Amino acid sequence: MKIMKFGGTSVGKPERMHQVKDLIIHGKEKKIVVLSALSGTTNALVGISDALAAANKELAKERIDTLHQHYQVFYKDLLQSEAGRSKAEKIIKEHFEFLNIILKISFNEAISRDILAQGELLSTKLFYTLLQELDIPAVFLPALDFMSIDENAEPELKKISEKLKIILANYQEENIFVTQGYICKNHRNEVDNLKRGGSDYSASLIGAAISADVVEIWTDIDGMHNNDPRIVDKTRPIAQLSFDEAAELAYFGAKILHPASIWPAQQYNIPVKLLNTMEPNALGTTITSKELGTGVKALAAKDGITAIKIKSSRMLLAYGFLRKVFEVFEKYKTSIDMITTSEVAVSVTIDDLSHLNEIVRELETYGLVEVDKNQTIISVVGNLIAESKGTLANIMDSLTDIPIRMVSYGGSRHNVSLLVDAKYKNTALQNLNIGLFQW
Ligand code: ASP
Ligand code: MG
């Protein structure tokens, strides 16, 4: 069994949906097709939900109508038969009626999550209608019947696995299953989701739940690149990555894969392939447990970072100081990315600023606190780079003209991270590209 996940751009246009259809009917093996919402839809749904949260029903209505229009055009290009079109019309009518009813009732968080779920429900139902129109046998698998998260919003992999296996056992002969990414039920049995970009996570969880042979993530680029192609001219796809390397790259900014989607695949040792819907024969990137080659493989950058420095002479020769500092972050459920220490100061970085003021106030009881916003973490990733000769010197040589705020070296054997002011990000990535890949 394989999992094939298609992102928003892969289903965002009628002709793309047709390409997806071509890809999934290829080969006889069983596959679960996981779809995102059409590109732009989840953003639009967030806009509707935000307008309702601000009690601006007029704006919400306007946004619902604009989105509705989009689907009215979409299905006519997608489907040709009268039966197919009338089915699609019914589907679209049902979901937009739902949105319009929400306009009339009082808004809350659970309703907001219901709104966000409409995108994947629509994309999968329309895609399934296309398969029916073309007489392609397939099974529609509602994700809400098996995908669930617990009270800490963590996926319940064991439960998901049990439920999914029972459902699939009913379909011995069928080969194609279509389900939604992103959406799930929570511990209150309400509709919930795996956070933005969570369809990759769904695919990986489903892969782990049924011990799939492979999880394929189909997007609009030919794999994970060795640098950010939006910023650096000469980048190339990386054929092979280990789970650890991929996790570092995904976490530190490579937009192609949701970082959380690594662990289920890694835990159950299921290869993940990153493939291009527009160029299906391109090699893409294969992520497995194998650690191949040594030296630098790729760079990634993560924006929106804030550095916090706590300076205290009380830290000198004292123990337990770091614990106190970390407890403040733990209390506010704010995770730390980078950390560097000296005898009298510690610097950490965070990307979630929702509790910055409280955190700073509490840290001030331990020493002098300085906050630098608008920082970028540049991560250099590769197998055993911490041990490969000359790598650190190369990195530093490439960045001679750029002030470096923090360096993290040796935290793992496949990552060196640097913190720079965001204004130096592009130059840093370009210079490192030349220095590390000779381009
Ligand atoms: N549709 C959701 C989003 O845009 C989930 C996904 O596409 O991965 O965030
Ligand atoms: Mg995505």
Side-chain angles (χ1 to χ4, degrees):
M1 190 89 135
K2 77 170 166 181
I3 315 299
M4 300 177 83
K5 179 262 168 179
F6 295 88
T9 48
S10 299
V11 292
K13 294 209 171 97
E15 63 270 26
R16 296 265 160 82
M17 261 201 189
H18 279 264
Q19 281 173 320
V20 170
K21 176 264 300 168
D22 292 338
L23 288 167
I24 66 155
I25 58 177
H26 200 79
K28 285 234 161 17
E29 84 196 280
K30 283 183 181 264
K31 46 202 83 130
I32 299 183
V33 179
V34 180
L35 300 185
S36 288
L38 315 197
S39 49
T41 293
T42 309
N43 285 344
L45 293 169
V46 169
I48 292 165
S49 168
D50 287 350
L52 285 171
N56 191 342
K57 293 200 171 176
E58 220 167 282
L59 181 61
K61 174 71 181 146
E62 215 173 274
R63 289 177 172 168
I64 292 172
D65 289 345
T66 310
L67 189 64
H68 197 172
Q69 279 277 303
H70 182 72
Y71 280 84
Q72 297 288 11
V73 178
F74 188 92
Y75 86 89
K76 285 180 196 131
D77 285 339
L78 179 72
L79 301 154
Q80 304 313 320
S81 70
E82 216 170 283
R85 285 186 176 181
S86 89
K87 243 191 114 190
E89 255 170 57
K90 262 176 65 191
I91 291 164
I92 293 166
K93 184 161 174 266
E94 179 198 331
H95 287 277
F96 282 89
E97 261 175 19
F98 173 77
L99 290 173
N100 279 301
I101 286 170
I102 278 175
L103 273 182
K104 301 197 181 84
I105 59 181
S106 64
F107 181 80
N108 61 39
E109 274 303 310
I111 289 176
S112 159
R113 292 190 292 263
D114 260 322
I115 295 174
L116 297 188
Q118 301 307 305
E120 272 70 12
L121 292 170
L122 277 162
S123 66
T124 47
K125 287 185 188 178
L126 291 173
F127 183 70
Y128 185 65
T129 307
L130 172 66
L131 297 182
Q132 287 179 315
E133 179 177 87
L134 301 171
D135 281 328
I136 298 166
V139 178
F140 189 78
L141 276 187
L144 298 179
D145 288 350
F146 61 88
M147 268 296 193
S148 59
I149 52 175
D150 64 16
E151 58 278 14
N152 297 315
E154 293 296 334
E156 302 176 304
L157 191 47
K158 213 167 150 253
K159 273 197 198 166
I160 296 168
S161 172
E162 284 162 9
K163 283 190 188 165
L164 193 51
K165 282 177 182 161
I166 292 171
I167 297 172
L168 291 174
N170 296 322
Y171 304 102
Q172 297 296 335
E173 304 302 318
E174 289 78 355
N175 283 335
I176 298 175
F177 300 86
V178 178
T179 192
Q180 298 87 22
Y182 181 58
I183 64 173
C184 60
K185 286 280 186 82
N186 64 23
H187 68 292
R188 287 186 295 265
N189 206 30
E190 298 158 346
V191 174
D192 211 316
N193 61 63
L194 300 176
K195 309 268 156 49
R196 293 307 305 272
S199 291
D200 295 344
Y201 199 12
S202 301
S204 171
L205 288 165
I206 293 172
I210 59 159
S211 301
D213 299 312
V214 60
V215 174
E216 294 180 351
I217 308 281
W218 291 82
T219 61
D220 52 2
I221 180 167
D222 53 347
M224 202 177 277
H225 276 228
N226 65 338
N227 203 334
D228 190 334
R230 292 162 303 183
I231 295 167
V232 179
D233 281 342
K234 289 178 177 159
T235 68
R236 55 186 150 83
I238 317 159
Q240 201 68 60
L241 283 171
S242 69
F243 285 120
D244 287 341
E245 290 166 343
E248 303 264 14
L249 288 172
Y251 185 72
F252 287 114
K255 291 281 177 298
I256 180 168
L257 187 65
H258 191 287
S261 57
I262 304 285
W263 76 259
Q266 182 165 24
Q267 199 167 323
Y268 290 83
N269 203 10
I270 297 162
V272 176
K273 284 189 171 186
L274 308 178
L275 297 160
N276 188 352
T277 311
M278 266 73 88
E279 231 185 283
N281 295 322
L283 210 58
T285 299
T286 303
I287 306 166
T288 63
S289 55
K290 279 195 215 112
E291 299 194 336
L292 295 169
T294 41
V296 177
K297 280 195 191 154
L299 308 170
K302 188 173 178 194
D303 296 318
I305 303 293
T306 294
I308 303 171
K309 181 159 82 188
I310 307 106
K311 197 167 173 239
S312 168
S313 49
R314 272 159 54 195
M315 196 175 159
L316 197 68
L317 301 173
Y319 50 83
F321 186 81
L322 285 178
R323 181 178 53 79
K324 287 183 197 144
V325 167
F326 288 151
E327 268 170 4
V328 175
F329 291 90
E330 191 183 346
K331 179 170 170 194
Y332 293 102
K333 293 196 163 99
T334 301
S335 77
I336 294 172
D337 283 330
M338 275 177 85
I339 156 161
T340 54
T341 61
S342 79
E343 187 50 38
V344 289
V346 50
S347 279
V348 302
T349 71
I350 59 172
D351 65 352
D352 175 1
L353 299 185
S354 15
H355 298 287
L356 182 63
N357 293 341
E358 294 102 303
I359 289 172
V360 169
R361 208 174 317 120
E362 293 203 19
L363 289 174
E364 274 167 349
T365 59
Y366 301 123
L368 210 64
V369 178
E370 265 174 48
V371 175
D372 290 317
K373 289 192 179 166
N374 292 324
Q375 305 287 306
T376 293
I377 295 177
I378 310 268
S379 243
V380 183
V381 173
N383 194 27
L384 304 180
I385 48 172
E387 281 135 70
S388 75
K389 230 172 126 203
T391 301
L392 195 60
N394 251 344
I395 293 172
M396 291 309 176
D397 279 349
S398 312
L399 300 175
T400 36
D401 299 328
I402 295 174
I404 297 170
R405 167 77 174 74
M406 282 167 73
V407 180
S408 174
Y409 174 86
S412 86
R413 298 161 88 192
H414 25 253
N415 174 298
V416 176
S417 292
L418 307 127
L419 188 73
V420 298
D421 192 297
K423 66 179 180 236
Y424 297 114
K425 168 185 161 181
N426 290 5
T427 321
L429 287 178
Q430 284 150 358
N431 290 0
L432 283 167
N433 211 55
I434 298 166
L436 296 172
F437 305 123
Q438 272 79 48
W439 278 347

